Amino acid sequence: MDIIDTLNSKIENVLEEYHRVKLENLALKQELEEHKTSNDELVRNNQDMLLQLNRTIALIEANKK
């Protein structure tokens, strides 16, 4: 009987650890998604900035001629 109680206790501990890790995994996936969204926004902003710089340079060069 002690062996069964010990095994049941270990199984309960493993299940609790599994659920804890599963929740942590979900939280990390959500955080990763937020970082991806933020990164995409930064990339778009950088692309917009580069386009504006290219337009400005083109206007400056056109005015020199």
Side-chain angles (χ1 to χ4, degrees):
M1 210 47 140
D2 287 339
I3 295 174
I4 292 173
D5 290 338
T6 303
L7 289 174
N8 282 337
S9 175
K10 288 182 179 183
I11 288 171
E12 285 179 28
N13 289 340
V14 168
L15 287 173
E16 287 174 9
E17 181 70 11
Y18 168 77
H19 290 297
R20 186 189 66 75
V21 169
K22 187 176 178 180
L23 288 175
E24 184 180 351
N25 186 37
L26 287 173
L28 289 171
K29 284 181 178 180
Q30 183 177 3
E31 186 178 345
L32 177 62
E33 212 41 56
E34 290 170 3
H35 286 300
K36 284 181 180 179
T37 301
S38 176
N39 186 58
D40 289 346
E41 185 178 330
L42 290 170
V43 167
R44 281 191 305 275
N45 288 343
N46 285 341
Q47 289 172 340
D48 289 345
M49 183 71 70
L50 288 172
L51 286 173
Q52 289 176 355
L53 287 169
N54 284 338
R55 284 188 207 127
T56 302
I57 290 170
L59 286 173
I60 289 171
E61 289 178 1
N63 284 338
K64 286 182 181 179
K65 295 180 180 180

